[in-house]
Coordinates of all heavy atoms in Angstrom, one line a residue:
R1 N -53.4 -45.2 -19.0 CA -52.4 -44.5 -18.1 C -52.1 -43.1 -18.7 O -52.0 -42.9 -19.9 CB -51.2 -45.3 -18.0 CG -51.4 -46.6 -17.2 CD -50.0 -47.2 -16.9 NE -48.9 -46.4 -16.5 CZ -48.5 -46.0 -15.2 NH1 -49.4 -46.4 -14.3 NH2 -47.6 -45.3 -15.0
L2 N -51.8 -42.2 -17.8 CA -51.2 -40.9 -18.3 C -49.9 -41.0 -18.7 O -49.1 -41.8 -18.1 CB -51.4 -40.0 -17.1 CG -52.8 -39.5 -16.6 CD1 -52.7 -38.6 -15.3 CD2 -53.5 -38.8 -17.8
P3 N -49.4 -40.2 -19.7 CA -48.1 -40.3 -20.1 C -47.1 -39.7 -19.1 O -47.5 -38.8 -18.3 CB -48.1 -39.5 -21.3 CG -49.2 -38.5 -21.3 CD -50.3 -39.3 -20.4
L4 N -45.8 -40.1 -19.2 CA -44.8 -39.6 -18.2 C -44.6 -38.1 -18.7 O -44.9 -37.7 -19.8 CB -43.4 -40.3 -18.4 CG -43.3 -41.7 -17.9 CD1 -41.9 -42.3 -18.2 CD2 -43.7 -41.8 -16.4
T5 N -44.3 -37.2 -17.6 CA -43.8 -35.9 -18.0 C -42.4 -35.8 -17.9 O -41.8 -36.2 -17.0 CB -44.5 -34.9 -16.9 OG1 -45.9 -35.1 -16.8 CG2 -44.1 -33.5 -17.0
L6 N -41.8 -35.3 -19.0 CA -40.4 -35.2 -19.1 C -40.0 -33.7 -19.0 O -40.7 -33.0 -19.8 CB -40.0 -35.9 -20.5 CG -40.1 -37.3 -20.6 CD1 -39.7 -37.8 -22.0 CD2 -39.4 -38.2 -19.5
S7 N -38.9 -33.5 -18.4 CA -38.2 -32.2 -18.4 C -36.9 -32.3 -18.9 O -36.2 -33.2 -18.4 CB -38.3 -31.4 -17.0 OG -39.5 -31.3 -16.6
V8 N -36.5 -31.4 -19.8 CA -35.0 -31.5 -20.3 C -34.4 -30.2 -20.0 O -35.0 -29.1 -20.4 CB -35.1 -31.9 -21.8 CG1 -33.6 -31.9 -22.4 CG2 -35.8 -33.1 -22.1
A9 N -33.3 -30.2 -19.5 CA -32.4 -29.1 -19.3 C -31.0 -29.2 -19.8 O -30.5 -30.2 -19.7 CB -32.3 -28.9 -17.7
P10 N -30.5 -28.1 -20.5 CA -29.1 -28.2 -21.0 C -28.1 -28.3 -19.8 O -28.4 -27.9 -18.7 CB -28.9 -26.8 -21.8 CG -30.0 -26.0 -21.1 CD -31.1 -26.8 -20.7
F11 N -26.9 -29.0 -20.1 CA -26.0 -29.2 -19.1 C -24.6 -29.2 -19.8 O -24.5 -29.9 -20.9 CB -26.2 -30.6 -18.4 CG -25.2 -30.9 -17.2 CD1 -25.1 -30.2 -16.2 CD2 -24.2 -31.9 -17.6 CE1 -24.3 -30.6 -15.1 CE2 -23.3 -32.2 -16.7 CZ -23.3 -31.6 -15.4
M12 N -23.6 -28.6 -19.3 CA -22.3 -28.5 -20.0 C -21.4 -29.3 -19.1 O -21.2 -29.0 -17.9 CB -21.8 -27.1 -20.1 CG -20.6 -26.8 -20.9 SD -20.7 -27.2 -22.5 CE -21.7 -26.0 -23.2
L13 N -20.6 -30.3 -19.6 CA -19.6 -31.0 -18.9 C -18.4 -30.2 -18.8 O -18.3 -29.1 -19.5 CB -19.3 -32.3 -19.7 CG -20.3 -33.4 -19.8 CD1 -20.0 -34.6 -20.5 CD2 -20.7 -33.9 -18.3
A14 N -17.5 -30.6 -17.9 CA -16.3 -29.9 -17.7 C -15.6 -29.2 -18.8 O -15.6 -29.9 -19.9 CB -15.3 -30.8 -16.9
G15 N -15.1 -28.1 -18.7 CA -14.4 -27.5 -19.7 C -15.1 -26.2 -20.1 O -14.5 -25.4 -20.9
G16 N -16.3 -26.0 -19.6 CA -17.0 -24.6 -19.9 C -17.4 -24.6 -21.4 O -17.3 -25.5 -22.1
A17 N -17.8 -23.4 -21.7 CA -18.4 -23.2 -23.1 C -17.3 -23.4 -24.2 O -17.6 -23.8 -25.2 CB -19.1 -21.8 -23.1
A18 N -16.1 -23.1 -23.9 CA -15.0 -23.0 -24.8 C -14.6 -24.5 -25.2 O -14.4 -24.9 -26.2 CB -13.9 -22.3 -24.3
G19 N -14.4 -25.4 -24.1 CA -14.0 -26.7 -24.4 C -14.9 -27.8 -23.7 O -14.4 -28.9 -23.9
G20 N -16.0 -27.5 -23.3 CA -17.0 -28.4 -22.7 C -17.8 -29.2 -23.7 O -17.7 -28.9 -24.9
R21 N -18.4 -30.1 -23.4 CA -19.2 -31.1 -24.2 C -20.7 -30.8 -23.7 O -21.0 -31.0 -22.6 CB -18.7 -32.5 -23.9 CG -19.4 -33.4 -24.9 CD -18.7 -34.7 -24.8 NE -19.7 -35.9 -24.9 CZ -19.6 -37.0 -24.5 NH1 -18.6 -37.5 -23.9 NH2 -20.7 -37.9 -24.7
A22 N -21.6 -30.4 -24.6 CA -22.9 -30.1 -24.4 C -23.6 -31.4 -24.2 O -23.4 -32.4 -24.9 CB -23.5 -29.4 -25.6
C23 N -24.4 -31.5 -23.2 CA -25.3 -32.6 -22.8 C -26.6 -32.2 -22.4 O -26.9 -30.9 -22.3 CB -24.7 -33.4 -21.6 SG -23.0 -34.1 -22.0
A24 N -27.5 -33.1 -22.0 CA -28.8 -32.6 -21.4 C -29.1 -33.5 -20.2 O -28.7 -34.7 -20.2 CB -29.9 -32.8 -22.4
I25 N -29.9 -32.9 -19.2 CA -30.4 -33.8 -18.1 C -31.8 -34.0 -18.5 O -32.5 -32.9 -18.7 CB -30.3 -33.0 -16.8 CG1 -28.8 -32.7 -16.5 CG2 -30.9 -33.7 -15.6 CD1 -28.5 -31.8 -15.3
V26 N -32.2 -35.2 -18.3 CA -33.8 -35.5 -18.7 C -34.3 -36.0 -17.4 O -33.7 -36.9 -16.6 CB -33.8 -36.6 -19.7 CG1 -35.4 -37.0 -19.9 CG2 -33.2 -36.1 -21.0
M27 N -35.3 -35.3 -16.9 CA -36.1 -35.7 -15.7 C -37.4 -36.3 -16.0 O -38.1 -35.7 -16.9 CB -36.2 -34.5 -14.7 CG -34.8 -34.0 -14.2 SD -34.8 -32.5 -13.5 CE -34.9 -31.3 -14.9
A28 N -37.8 -37.4 -15.5 CA -39.1 -37.9 -15.7 C -40.0 -38.0 -14.5 O -39.6 -38.2 -13.4 CB -39.0 -39.4 -16.3
R29 N -41.4 -37.8 -14.7 CA -42.3 -37.9 -13.6 C -43.5 -38.6 -14.0 O -44.1 -38.4 -15.0 CB -42.6 -36.5 -13.1 CG -43.5 -36.5 -11.9 CD -43.5 -35.1 -11.3 NE -44.2 -34.1 -12.3 CZ -45.5 -33.8 -12.2 NH1 -46.3 -34.4 -11.5 NH2 -46.0 -33.0 -13.1
D30 N -43.9 -39.6 -13.3 CA -45.2 -40.3 -13.5 C -46.4 -39.6 -12.8 O -46.4 -39.6 -11.5 CB -45.0 -41.7 -13.1 CG -46.2 -42.7 -13.3 OD1 -47.2 -42.2 -13.6 OD2 -46.1 -43.9 -13.2
P31 N -47.2 -38.9 -13.5 CA -48.3 -38.2 -13.0 C -49.1 -39.2 -12.1 O -49.9 -38.7 -11.2 CB -49.0 -37.6 -14.0 CG -48.6 -38.3 -15.2 CD -47.2 -38.9 -15.0
E32 N -49.2 -40.4 -12.3 CA -50.1 -41.3 -11.5 C -49.5 -41.9 -10.3 O -50.1 -42.6 -9.5 CB -50.6 -42.5 -12.4 CG -51.4 -42.0 -13.6 CD -51.9 -43.2 -14.5 OE1 -51.7 -44.4 -14.1 OE2 -52.4 -42.9 -15.5
A33 N -48.2 -41.7 -10.1 CA -47.3 -42.1 -9.0 C -46.7 -40.9 -8.2 O -45.5 -41.2 -7.8 CB -46.5 -43.1 -9.4
V34 N -47.4 -39.9 -8.2 CA -46.7 -38.7 -7.6 C -46.7 -38.8 -6.1 O -47.7 -39.1 -5.4 CB -47.5 -37.4 -7.9 CG1 -46.9 -36.1 -7.2 CG2 -47.4 -37.1 -9.5
T35 N -45.5 -38.8 -5.5 CA -45.3 -38.8 -4.1 C -44.3 -37.7 -3.8 O -43.1 -37.7 -4.4 CB -44.9 -40.1 -3.5 OG1 -43.7 -40.6 -4.2 CG2 -46.0 -41.2 -3.6
A36 N -44.5 -36.7 -3.0 CA -43.6 -35.7 -2.7 C -42.6 -36.2 -1.6 O -43.0 -36.9 -0.8 CB -44.3 -34.5 -2.2
S37 N -41.4 -35.7 -1.7 CA -40.4 -35.9 -0.7 C -40.4 -34.9 0.3 O -40.2 -33.8 0.0 CB -38.9 -36.0 -1.5 OG -38.0 -36.0 -0.6
A38 N -40.6 -35.2 1.6 CA -40.6 -34.3 2.7 C -39.2 -33.6 2.8 O -39.1 -32.4 3.0 CB -41.0 -35.1 4.0
A39 N -38.2 -34.4 2.7 CA -36.8 -33.8 2.7 C -36.5 -32.8 1.6 O -36.0 -31.8 1.9 CB -35.7 -34.9 2.7
V40 N -37.0 -33.1 0.4 CA -36.9 -32.0 -0.7 C -37.8 -30.8 -0.4 O -37.3 -29.6 -0.6 CB -37.2 -32.6 -2.0 CG1 -37.2 -31.7 -3.1 CG2 -36.2 -33.8 -2.3
L41 N -39.0 -31.1 0.1 CA -39.9 -29.9 0.3 C -39.1 -29.0 1.4 O -39.3 -27.8 1.4 CB -41.2 -30.3 0.9 CG -42.1 -30.9 -0.3 CD1 -43.5 -31.5 0.3 CD2 -42.4 -29.9 -1.3
Q42 N -38.6 -29.6 2.5 CA -37.9 -28.9 3.4 C -36.8 -27.9 2.9 O -36.7 -26.9 3.3 CB -37.3 -29.8 4.5 CG -38.4 -30.4 5.5 CD -37.7 -31.4 6.5 OE1 -37.7 -32.5 6.4 NE2 -37.0 -30.6 7.5
Q43 N -36.1 -28.5 1.9 CA -35.0 -27.7 1.4 C -35.5 -26.7 0.4 O -35.0 -25.6 0.4 CB -34.0 -28.7 0.6 CG -33.1 -29.6 1.5 CD -32.2 -30.5 0.8 OE1 -32.4 -30.8 -0.3 NE2 -31.1 -30.8 1.4
L44 N -36.4 -27.1 -0.4 CA -36.9 -26.2 -1.4 C -37.7 -24.9 -0.8 O -37.5 -23.8 -1.1 CB -38.0 -26.7 -2.2 CG -37.5 -27.7 -3.3 CD1 -38.7 -28.4 -4.0 CD2 -36.8 -27.0 -4.3
F45 N -38.5 -25.2 0.3 CA -39.3 -24.1 1.0 C -39.0 -23.7 2.4 O -39.6 -23.0 3.1 CB -40.7 -24.4 0.8 CG -41.2 -24.6 -0.7 CD1 -41.5 -26.0 -1.1 CD2 -41.2 -23.7 -1.6 CE1 -41.9 -26.2 -2.2 CE2 -41.7 -23.9 -2.8 CZ -42.0 -25.1 -3.2
E46 N -37.9 -24.3 2.9 CA -37.3 -24.0 4.2 C -38.4 -24.4 5.3 O -38.8 -23.6 6.2 CB -36.9 -22.6 4.4 CG -35.6 -22.2 3.6 CD -35.2 -20.9 3.7 OE1 -35.6 -20.1 4.6 OE2 -34.2 -20.6 3.0
L47 N -39.1 -25.6 5.1 CA -40.1 -26.1 6.1 C -39.5 -26.8 7.1 O -38.5 -27.4 7.0 CB -41.2 -27.0 5.2 CG -41.8 -26.4 4.0 CD1 -42.7 -27.5 3.4 CD2 -42.6 -25.1 4.2
T48 N -40.2 -26.8 8.2 CA -39.9 -27.7 9.3 C -40.3 -29.2 9.0 O -41.1 -29.4 8.0 CB -40.7 -27.3 10.6 OG1 -42.0 -27.5 10.4 CG2 -40.3 -25.8 11.0
P49 N -39.8 -30.1 9.7 CA -40.2 -31.5 9.4 C -41.8 -31.7 9.6 O -42.4 -32.4 8.7 CB -39.5 -32.4 10.5 CG -38.2 -31.6 10.7 CD -38.7 -30.1 10.6
A50 N -42.3 -31.0 10.4 CA -43.9 -31.2 10.6 C -44.5 -30.4 9.5 O -45.6 -31.1 9.0 CB -44.3 -30.6 11.9
E51 N -44.0 -29.3 9.1 CA -44.7 -28.6 7.9 C -44.5 -29.5 6.6 O -45.5 -29.5 5.8 CB -44.0 -27.3 7.9 CG -44.4 -26.3 8.9 CD -43.6 -25.1 8.8 OE1 -42.5 -25.0 8.2 OE2 -43.8 -24.2 9.6
A52 N -43.4 -30.1 6.4 CA -43.2 -30.8 5.2 C -44.0 -32.2 5.3 O -44.7 -32.5 4.2 CB -41.6 -31.2 5.1
A53 N -44.2 -32.7 6.4 CA -45.0 -33.9 6.5 C -46.6 -33.5 6.3 O -47.2 -34.3 5.5 CB -45.0 -34.6 7.9
V54 N -47.0 -32.4 6.7 CA -48.5 -32.0 6.6 C -48.5 -31.7 5.0 O -49.5 -32.1 4.4 CB -48.8 -30.8 7.2 CG1 -50.0 -30.1 6.7 CG2 -48.9 -31.1 8.7
S55 N -47.5 -31.1 4.4 CA -47.6 -30.7 3.0 C -47.6 -32.0 2.1 O -48.3 -32.2 1.1 CB -46.4 -30.0 2.5 OG -46.4 -28.7 3.2
C56 N -46.8 -33.1 2.5 CA -46.8 -34.3 1.7 C -48.1 -35.1 1.8 O -48.6 -35.6 0.8 CB -45.7 -35.2 2.2 SG -44.0 -34.7 1.7
A57 N -48.6 -35.0 3.0 CA -49.8 -35.8 3.3 C -51.1 -35.1 2.3 O -51.9 -35.8 1.7 CB -50.3 -35.8 4.7
L58 N -51.1 -33.8 2.4 CA -52.0 -33.1 1.6 C -51.8 -33.4 0.1 O -52.9 -33.7 -0.6 CB -51.9 -31.6 1.7 CG -52.8 -31.0 3.0 CD1 -52.4 -29.5 3.1 CD2 -54.1 -31.3 2.9
A59 N -50.6 -33.4 -0.4 CA -50.3 -33.8 -1.8 C -50.7 -35.1 -2.1 O -51.0 -35.4 -3.3 CB -48.9 -33.5 -2.2
A60 N -50.7 -35.9 -1.1 CA -51.2 -37.4 -1.4 C -52.7 -37.7 -1.2 O -53.2 -38.8 -1.4 CB -50.5 -38.2 -0.4
G61 N -53.4 -36.6 -0.9 CA -54.9 -36.6 -0.9 C -55.4 -36.7 0.6 O -56.7 -37.0 0.7
A62 N -54.6 -36.7 1.6 CA -55.3 -36.8 2.9 C -56.0 -35.6 3.4 O -55.7 -34.6 2.9 CB -54.1 -37.2 3.9
S63 N -57.0 -35.8 4.3 CA -57.6 -34.5 4.7 C -57.0 -34.1 6.0 O -56.0 -34.7 6.6 CB -59.1 -35.1 5.3 OG -59.1 -35.9 6.3
L64 N -57.3 -32.9 6.5 CA -56.7 -32.3 7.7 C -57.0 -33.3 8.9 O -56.1 -33.5 9.7 CB -57.2 -31.0 8.0 CG -56.8 -29.8 7.0 CD1 -57.4 -28.4 7.4 CD2 -55.4 -29.7 6.5
E65 N -58.2 -33.8 8.9 CA -58.5 -34.8 10.0 C -57.7 -36.0 10.0 O -57.1 -36.6 11.0 CB -60.1 -35.2 10.0 CG -61.0 -33.8 10.2 CD -61.1 -33.0 9.1 OE1 -60.7 -33.4 7.9 OE2 -61.7 -31.9 9.4
D66 N -57.5 -36.5 8.7 CA -56.6 -37.7 8.6 C -55.1 -37.5 9.1 O -54.5 -38.3 9.8 CB -56.6 -38.2 7.1 CG -57.9 -38.7 6.6 OD1 -58.8 -39.1 7.4 OD2 -58.1 -38.7 5.4
I67 N -54.7 -36.2 8.7 CA -53.3 -35.9 9.0 C -53.2 -35.8 10.5 O -52.2 -36.2 11.2 CB -52.9 -34.6 8.3 CG1 -52.8 -34.9 6.8 CG2 -51.6 -34.1 8.8 CD1 -52.8 -33.5 5.9
A68 N -54.2 -35.1 11.2 CA -54.1 -35.0 12.6 C -54.2 -36.2 13.4 O -53.4 -36.5 14.2 CB -55.3 -34.1 13.0
A69 N -55.0 -37.2 12.9 CA -55.1 -38.5 13.5 C -53.8 -39.3 13.4 O -53.2 -40.0 14.4 CB -56.3 -39.3 12.9
A70 N -53.2 -39.3 12.1 CA -52.0 -40.1 11.9 C -50.8 -39.5 12.7 O -49.9 -40.3 13.0 CB -51.7 -40.0 10.4
S71 N -51.0 -38.2 12.9 CA -49.7 -37.5 13.7 C -50.0 -37.4 15.1 O -49.1 -37.0 15.9 CB -49.6 -36.1 13.0 OG -49.3 -36.1 11.7
S72 N -51.1 -37.8 15.5 CA -51.5 -37.7 17.0 C -51.5 -36.3 17.4 O -51.0 -36.0 18.6 CB -50.6 -38.6 17.9 OG -50.8 -39.9 17.5
V73 N -51.9 -35.3 16.6 CA -52.1 -33.9 17.1 C -53.4 -33.5 16.8 O -54.2 -34.2 16.0 CB -51.0 -33.0 16.3 CG1 -49.6 -33.4 16.7 CG2 -51.3 -33.1 14.8
S74 N -53.8 -32.3 17.2 CA -55.1 -31.7 16.9 C -55.2 -31.2 15.5 O -54.2 -30.9 14.9 CB -55.5 -30.7 17.9 OG -54.8 -29.4 17.6
V75 N -56.4 -31.1 15.1 CA -56.7 -30.4 13.7 C -56.2 -29.0 13.8 O -55.6 -28.6 12.7 CB -58.3 -30.5 13.2 CG1 -58.5 -29.7 12.0 CG2 -58.6 -32.0 13.1
N76 N -56.2 -28.3 14.9 CA -55.8 -26.9 15.0 C -54.3 -26.9 14.7 O -53.7 -26.0 14.2 CB -56.3 -26.3 16.3 CG -57.6 -25.9 16.2 OD1 -58.3 -25.6 15.2 ND2 -58.4 -25.9 17.4
T77 N -53.6 -27.9 15.3 CA -52.1 -28.0 15.1 C -51.8 -28.1 13.6 O -51.0 -27.5 13.1 CB -51.5 -29.1 15.9 OG1 -51.8 -28.8 17.4 CG2 -50.0 -29.1 15.7
V78 N -52.5 -29.0 12.9 CA -52.3 -29.3 11.5 C -52.5 -28.0 10.8 O -51.8 -27.5 9.8 CB -53.2 -30.4 11.0 CG1 -53.1 -30.5 9.5 CG2 -52.8 -31.7 11.6
K79 N -53.7 -27.1 11.1 CA -54.0 -25.9 10.5 C -52.9 -24.9 10.7 O -52.6 -24.2 9.8 CB -55.3 -25.4 10.9 CG -56.5 -26.2 10.5 CD -57.8 -25.6 11.0 CE -59.1 -26.4 10.6 NZ -60.3 -25.9 11.2
T80 N -52.4 -24.9 11.9 CA -51.2 -24.0 12.2 C -49.9 -24.3 11.3 O -49.4 -23.3 10.7 CB -50.8 -24.1 13.8 OG1 -52.0 -23.7 14.5 CG2 -49.5 -23.1 13.9
H81 N -49.6 -25.6 11.1 CA -48.4 -25.9 10.2 C -48.9 -25.5 8.8 O -48.0 -24.8 8.1 CB -48.3 -27.4 10.3 CG -47.8 -28.0 11.6 ND1 -46.7 -27.4 12.2 CD2 -48.1 -29.0 12.3 CE1 -46.4 -28.0 13.3 NE2 -47.3 -29.1 13.5
L82 N -50.1 -25.7 8.4 CA -50.5 -25.4 7.1 C -50.5 -23.8 6.9 O -50.0 -23.5 5.7 CB -52.0 -25.8 6.8 CG -52.6 -25.8 5.5 CD1 -51.6 -26.4 4.4 CD2 -53.9 -26.3 5.4
H83 N -50.9 -23.1 7.7 CA -50.8 -21.6 7.6 C -49.3 -21.1 7.5 O -49.0 -20.3 6.6 CB -51.5 -20.9 8.6 CG -53.0 -21.0 8.4 ND1 -53.6 -20.2 7.4 CD2 -53.9 -21.7 9.0 CE1 -55.0 -20.6 7.5 NE2 -55.2 -21.5 8.4
R84 N -48.4 -21.7 8.3 CA -47.0 -21.4 8.1 C -46.5 -21.8 6.7 O -45.6 -21.2 6.2 CB -46.3 -22.1 9.2 CG -46.5 -21.5 10.6 CD -45.6 -22.0 11.7 NE -46.0 -21.5 13.0 CZ -46.0 -22.1 14.1 NH1 -45.6 -23.4 14.2 NH2 -46.3 -21.5 15.2
V85 N -46.9 -23.0 6.3 CA -46.5 -23.4 4.9 C -46.9 -22.4 3.9 O -46.2 -22.1 3.0 CB -47.0 -24.9 4.6 CG1 -46.7 -25.2 3.2 CG2 -46.4 -26.0 5.5
Y86 N -48.2 -22.0 3.9 CA -48.7 -21.1 2.9 C -47.7 -19.8 2.9 O -47.5 -19.3 1.9 CB -50.1 -20.5 3.4 CG -51.3 -21.4 3.3 CD1 -52.3 -21.4 4.1 CD2 -51.2 -22.5 2.4 CE1 -53.4 -22.2 3.8 CE2 -52.3 -23.5 2.2 CZ -53.4 -23.2 3.0 OH -54.5 -24.1 2.8
G87 N -47.3 -19.2 4.1 CA -46.5 -18.1 4.1 C -45.1 -18.3 3.4 O -44.6 -17.6 2.7
K88 N -44.6 -19.6 3.8 CA -43.3 -19.9 3.1 C -43.3 -20.3 1.7 O -42.3 -20.3 1.0 CB -42.6 -21.2 3.9 CG -42.2 -20.8 5.3 CD -41.8 -21.9 6.2 CE -41.4 -21.6 7.6 NZ -40.8 -22.7 8.3
T89 N -44.4 -20.7 1.1 CA -44.6 -21.0 -0.3 C -45.3 -20.1 -1.2 O -45.5 -20.1 -2.3 CB -45.3 -22.4 -0.4 OG1 -46.6 -22.3 0.1 CG2 -44.6 -23.5 0.3
S90 N -45.7 -19.0 -0.5 CA -46.5 -17.8 -1.1 C -47.8 -18.4 -1.7 O -48.1 -18.0 -2.9 CB -45.6 -17.1 -2.1 OG -44.6 -16.6 -1.7
T91 N -48.4 -19.2 -1.1 CA -49.7 -19.8 -1.5 C -50.7 -19.5 -0.5 O -50.5 -18.9 0.7 CB -49.6 -21.4 -1.6 OG1 -49.3 -21.9 -0.4 CG2 -48.8 -21.9 -2.7
R92 N -51.9 -19.6 -0.8 CA -53.2 -19.1 0.1 C -54.2 -20.1 0.3 O -55.0 -20.0 1.2 CB -53.7 -17.8 -0.4 CG -52.9 -16.4 -0.5 CD -53.5 -15.3 -1.1 NE -53.0 -15.4 -2.4 CZ -53.6 -14.9 -3.4 NH1 -54.7 -14.3 -3.3 NH2 -52.9 -15.0 -4.7
R93 N -54.2 -21.2 -0.5 CA -55.2 -22.2 -0.4 C -54.5 -23.5 -0.6 O -53.6 -23.7 -1.1 CB -56.3 -22.0 -1.4 CG -57.0 -20.7 -1.3 CD -58.2 -20.6 -2.2 NE -57.6 -20.9 -3.7 CZ -57.4 -20.0 -4.6 NH1 -57.5 -18.7 -4.3 NH2 -57.0 -20.3 -5.8
Q94 N -55.2 -24.6 -0.1 CA -54.7 -25.9 -0.1 C -54.5 -26.4 -1.7 O -53.5 -27.0 -2.0 CB -55.7 -26.9 0.4 CG -55.7 -26.9 2.0 CD -56.7 -27.9 2.5 OE1 -56.9 -28.8 2.0 NE2 -57.2 -27.6 3.7
G95 N -55.4 -26.0 -2.6 CA -55.3 -26.4 -4.0 C -54.0 -25.7 -4.6 O -53.3 -26.4 -5.3
E96 N -53.8 -24.4 -4.2 CA -52.4 -23.8 -4.7 C -51.3 -24.5 -4.3 O -50.4 -24.8 -5.0 CB -52.5 -22.4 -4.3 CG -53.3 -21.3 -4.9 CD -53.0 -20.0 -4.4 OE1 -52.1 -19.4 -4.6 OE2 -54.0 -19.5 -3.7
L97 N -51.4 -24.9 -2.9 CA -50.1 -25.6 -2.4 C -49.9 -26.9 -3.0 O -48.8 -27.2 -3.3 CB -50.3 -25.7 -0.9 CG -49.3 -26.6 -0.2 CD1 -47.9 -25.8 -0.3 CD2 -49.6 -26.8 1.3
I98 N -51.0 -27.7 -3.2 CA -50.9 -29.1 -3.8 C -50.3 -28.9 -5.3 O -49.5 -29.6 -5.7 CB -52.3 -29.9 -3.7 CG1 -52.7 -30.1 -2.3 CG2 -52.2 -31.0 -4.5 CD1 -54.0 -30.5 -2.0
A99 N -51.0 -27.8 -6.0 CA -50.4 -27.7 -7.4 C -49.0 -27.3 -7.3 O -48.2 -27.8 -8.3 CB -51.3 -26.6 -8.1
L100 N -48.5 -26.5 -6.5 CA -47.0 -26.1 -6.2 C -46.2 -27.3 -6.1 O -45.2 -27.6 -6.8 CB -46.9 -25.1 -5.2 CG -45.5 -24.7 -5.0 CD1 -44.9 -23.9 -6.2 CD2 -45.5 -23.9 -3.7
I101 N -46.7 -28.2 -5.1 CA -45.9 -29.4 -4.8 C -45.9 -30.4 -5.9 O -44.9 -30.9 -6.3 CB -46.6 -30.1 -3.5 CG1 -46.3 -29.2 -2.3 CG2 -45.9 -31.5 -3.4 CD1 -47.1 -29.7 -1.1
H102 N -46.9 -30.6 -6.6 CA -47.0 -31.5 -7.8 C -46.2 -31.0 -8.9 O -45.7 -31.8 -9.8 CB -48.4 -31.8 -8.3 CG -49.1 -32.7 -7.1 ND1 -49.4 -34.1 -7.6 CD2 -49.5 -32.6 -6.0 CE1 -50.0 -34.7 -6.7 NE2 -50.1 -33.9 -5.6
G103 N -46.0 -29.7 -9.1 CA -45.1 -29.2 -10.1 C -43.7 -29.0 -9.8 O -42.9 -28.5 -10.5
S104 N -43.4 -29.1 -8.5 CA -42.0 -28.9 -8.1 C -41.1 -30.2 -8.2 O -41.6 -31.2 -8.5 CB -42.0 -28.5 -6.6 OG -42.1 -29.7 -5.7
T105 N -39.9 -29.9 -8.0 CA -38.9 -31.1 -8.1 C -39.1 -32.1 -7.0 O -38.4 -33.1 -7.1 CB -37.3 -30.5 -8.2 OG1 -37.2 -29.8 -6.9 CG2 -37.1 -29.7 -9.4
A106 N -39.8 -31.8 -6.0 CA -40.0 -32.6 -4.9 C -40.7 -34.0 -5.3 O -40.7 -35.0 -4.7 CB -40.9 -32.1 -3.8
T107 N -41.3 -33.9 -6.6 CA -42.0 -35.1 -7.1 C -41.4 -35.8 -8.3 O -41.9 -36.7 -8.9 CB -43.4 -34.8 -7.4 OG1 -43.3 -33.8 -8.5 CG2 -44.3 -34.2 -6.2
L108 N -40.1 -35.5 -8.5 CA -39.4 -36.2 -9.6 C -39.0 -37.6 -9.3 O -38.8 -37.8 -8.1 CB -38.1 -35.4 -9.9 CG -38.4 -33.9 -10.6 CD1 -37.0 -33.3 -10.7 CD2 -39.2 -34.1 -11.9
L109 N -39.1 -38.4 -10.2 CA -38.6 -39.7 -10.0 C -37.1 -39.8 -9.8 O -36.4 -38.9 -10.3 CB -38.9 -40.6 -11.3 CG -40.4 -40.8 -11.8 CD1 -40.5 -41.5 -13.0 CD2 -41.1 -41.5 -10.5
P110 N -36.6 -40.7 -9.0 CA -35.2 -40.7 -8.8 C -34.5 -41.0 -10.1 O -34.9 -41.5 -11.0 CB -35.1 -42.2 -7.9 CG -36.4 -42.5 -7.5 CD -37.3 -41.8 -8.5
P111 N -33.1 -40.5 -10.2 CA -32.3 -40.4 -11.4 C -32.1 -41.9 -11.7 O -31.8 -42.8 -11.0 CB -31.0 -39.8 -11.1 CG -31.2 -39.5 -9.6 CD -32.5 -39.8 -9.1
H112 N -32.0 -42.1 -13.0 CA -31.7 -43.4 -13.6 C -30.7 -43.2 -14.7 O -30.7 -42.2 -15.4 CB -32.9 -44.1 -14.3 CG -34.0 -44.6 -13.2 ND1 -34.9 -43.7 -12.6 CD2 -34.4 -45.7 -12.9 CE1 -35.5 -44.3 -11.7 NE2 -35.4 -45.7 -11.8
S113 N -29.9 -44.3 -14.9 CA -29.0 -44.1 -15.9 C -29.6 -44.6 -17.3 O -30.4 -45.4 -17.2 CB -27.7 -45.1 -15.7 OG -27.0 -44.6 -14.5
V114 N -29.2 -43.8 -18.3 CA -29.6 -44.3 -19.6 C -28.6 -45.2 -20.3 O -27.3 -44.6 -20.3 CB -29.9 -43.1 -20.5 CG1 -30.3 -43.4 -21.9 CG2 -31.0 -42.2 -19.9
G115 N -28.8 -46.3 -20.6 CA -27.8 -47.2 -21.0 C -27.7 -47.3 -22.5 O -26.8 -47.8 -23.1

């Protein structure tokens, strides 16, 4: 198995720098179980629901033909959504888009309490 990817960010509890308590936020991602959240992609990149669905499906390994069949639309419609996603994400190719999605917060594991 591949190791988890951890990201750590500083965080200050109430009170600000003068009286606050320094903490950290730890985010974990399992690279073997990456699934992008359509809702998060919509917020991150201002995508429509259809554009986010196409993006998630691509990130999961689906082909344009598979996405079209599953969505009951034509491959040309999927390509139109994809080209709009490229513009909104400043990407130019499917590989770039998939790399962007896999590296974004859309694929983080849900938060867990550390006990």
